[in-house]
Amino acid sequence: MNNKANAANTSSVNARFGRVPGRAKQRTDSRPPGLRQVLYALFLVTETCGAIGDVLRDWWAVQGRPVRWAVYVLLILFGIMLPSDSIGSIMSPHTEWQTLLFFPIGGYILLAIGLNVVVGQAGLLDLGYVAFFAVGGYAMAIFAKLHGWSFWEVLIVGTLISAGSGILLGAPTLRLRGDYLAIVTLGFGEIVRISAQNWEYVNGPNGISGIPHPPNLSDYEFPAGQPWEFLGLDGVAPLTYGALDGRPYYYLMLVAIIATIVFAKRLENSRVGRAWASIREDEDAAELMGVPTFKFKLAAFAIGAAIGGMTGVVYASQATSIIPANFPFILSATILAAVVMGGSGNLPGVMLGAFLVAWIPEYFRDLKEYRILLFGGILVVMMALRPEGILPSKRRQAELAEGSGGMGSLGAEVAGPDTSAASVEGAK
């Protein structure tokens, strides 16, 4: 029986990769003749990446609990090993790898997971997500620096305040859809930033400095020798938070990411997640079928805001100083680009997109201002050649193939990989 299953899986894998050249040629035929050779090579790359993602997803779907738990353990061990100098010398030759892992890489991943709840699962376009990040950061600054609260107290209170901010924004605005909702959320993000810039209590544009680090939970250090040296942990005090070593903050961020992933996946597979999927695909149909759409959209805003606020609290505890300029609109746009490029609605894809968006500009830092040009070019090419994202979910792939854009309430229908613009216009 196992041999038959293995043979069937091998046949399926061969069939998927065998279709790659044909799909690349099909997508190239409609392009200008002068660009076809270059585009064919690029489509070969993107279609191969898609085939690899499909194979991995199909393999994962049939695995039992022991295999899945083994993969989870290996991924956590890999995350623990990431700050080692041997990896850092390859991944970040121009900046300190441990600090880069904490922020922007870790921070972007956590923010992308939160925004994916709003955009990827509920289909609500939020262009002001940085506002909740700012609320969490200023909560840490105000309560810890000005009132002497512990980091752990502020983490809970800041997360709750951020969730309340999401409800405050969503309650009067979630009757809107598409472009109108996007404009309102964009305005909210700017309101928070400009309010902080003009509020004397938080020192206006000068911000708040001297934010305390999290309290040390233990002074324990991993000893020298194996296996700690192999894991890159020798001499690390993971529960001692100071100004010099960025690794304890990375491990704090890693714990927050793991907890958020577990929470988000359980939501995705619950009644709430199914309600969000129905709202994203067709809000009117969901309302007619008895789904209380406003309540579930408000819940999505609150949960996404809470994750953004938690990220802000952790970030401020390491930065020790924040100013309004730390929370520009471009950060919201960057996180949204990470979600869409990675594969909106698919958690592994979203995390991969956030990692790439944070890591690519830092890796090419020696190119100076041209690194941003290169980064923007990579984003444009990816969005043009693979609009569904690097690792999309099957549902999103189907929505894009139908020309719905994969986010039903965003107010715009686009031509998918297998859909012409003319057919989309005719379907409206």
Side-chain angles (χ1 to χ4, degrees):
M1 190 68 180
N2 289 334
N3 292 334
K4 291 182 179 179
N6 291 333
N9 290 335
T10 302
S11 176
S12 175
V13 170
N14 292 336
R16 286 187 182 278
F17 284 102
R19 288 194 295 265
V20 166
R23 286 182 58 84
K25 185 177 185 305
Q26 178 185 359
R27 298 181 66 178
T28 307
D29 287 341
S30 60
R31 311 289 173 162
L35 299 175
R36 286 181 183 174
Q37 290 185 346
V38 175
L39 290 177
Y40 179 72
L42 293 174
F43 279 128
L44 274 179
V45 175
T46 58
E47 290 297 331
T48 301
C49 291
I52 293 172
D54 290 341
V55 168
L56 290 175
R57 183 173 54 206
D58 293 343
W59 174 83
W60 182 257
V62 299
Q63 299 307 311
R65 185 169 294 180
V67 174
R68 293 193 174 201
W69 276 104
V71 172
Y72 294 149
V73 171
L74 290 175
L75 288 175
I76 292 173
L77 287 175
F78 178 70
I80 293 173
M81 293 173 58
L82 265 181
S84 66
D85 293 331
S86 58
I87 297 177
S89 61
I90 300 172
M91 299 296 292
S92 180
H94 308 291
T95 55
E96 186 184 1
W97 175 238
Q98 289 81 6
T99 303
L100 179 65
L101 270 179
F102 170 76
F103 197 91
I105 291 177
Y108 279 20
I109 288 175
L110 196 52
L111 288 171
I113 294 172
L115 187 59
N116 184 59
V117 172
V118 181
V119 174
Q121 296 189 43
L124 306 171
L125 184 54
D126 186 352
L127 293 180
Y129 191 68
V130 70
F132 308 118
F133 181 51
V135 168
Y138 271 98
M140 178 65 194
I142 292 172
F143 290 113
K145 171 66 186 302
L146 303 182
H147 298 283
W149 288 26
S150 165
F151 165 80
W152 303 106
E153 296 172 330
V154 180
L155 183 64
I156 297 172
V157 173
T159 302
L160 293 176
I161 291 175
S162 300
S165 301
I167 295 173
L168 182 65
L169 170 63
T173 62
L174 282 177
R175 305 290 182 186
L176 303 173
R177 299 186 190 180
D179 303 336
Y180 303 102
L181 179 61
I183 292 170
V184 170
T185 55
L186 171 61
F188 180 74
E190 288 300 289
I191 287 171
V192 170
R193 183 182 63 82
I194 294 172
S195 297
Q197 190 166 335
N198 292 282
W199 192 14
E200 293 184 3
Y201 183 70
V202 296
N203 207 21
N206 297 320
I208 300 177
S209 59
I211 302 171
H213 295 297
N216 297 335
L217 299 179
S218 172
D219 295 327
Y220 173 78
E221 290 186 6
F222 287 101
Q226 301 296 345
W228 313 118
E229 185 176 347
F230 174 75
L231 295 174
L233 293 174
D234 53 314
V236 176
L239 301 178
T240 301
Y241 302 96
L244 299 179
D245 192 354
R247 288 175 292 185
Y249 298 97
Y250 163 72
Y251 292 125
L252 178 63
M253 185 71 80
L254 181 63
V255 171
I257 290 172
I258 293 172
T260 307
I261 289 172
V262 173
F263 178 68
K265 287 301 293 183
R266 292 187 69 84
L267 274 178
E268 182 181 341
N269 298 324
S270 69
R271 175 174 172 265
V272 176
R274 293 193 295 271
W276 285 338
S278 67
I279 293 170
R280 183 185 69 242
E281 291 179 10
D282 193 324
E283 185 175 342
D284 292 328
E287 188 80 46
L288 290 172
M289 293 300 293
V291 177
T293 56
F294 179 78
K295 182 178 75 173
F296 283 111
K297 289 195 295 183
L298 195 61
F301 254 69
I303 292 170
I307 296 173
M310 178 177 63
T311 310
V313 172
V314 177
Y315 166 75
S317 71
Q318 191 271 345
T320 70
S321 176
I322 59 171
I323 58 175
N326 293 141
F327 311 103
F329 161 72
I330 191 62
L331 182 56
S332 292
T334 302
I335 301 303
L336 180 61
V339 171
V340 176
M341 185 179 77
S344 178
N346 186 34
L347 204 53
V350 166
M351 295 172 63
L352 176 61
F355 174 83
L356 293 176
V357 164
W359 172 70
I360 289 175
E362 295 297 330
Y363 184 78
F364 293 102
R365 182 168 284 277
D366 59 333
L367 298 179
K368 299 180 181 178
E369 64 270 15
Y370 295 105
R371 67 194 176 100
I372 305 300
L373 179 64
L374 175 65
F375 174 61
I378 292 173
L379 285 181
V380 170
V381 170
M382 281 302 304
M383 297 301 180
L385 301 185
R386 193 165 175 80
E388 66 269 36
I390 300 173
L391 293 176
S393 63
K394 280 189 175 181
R395 188 191 298 270
R396 175 158 167 75
Q397 281 183 304
E399 291 168 347
L400 271 164
E402 294 173 0
S404 66
M407 302 175 201
S409 62
L410 296 194
E413 296 195 355
V414 298
D418 303 318
T419 312
S420 66
S423 64
V424 171
E425 286 294 326
K428 288 184 179 180

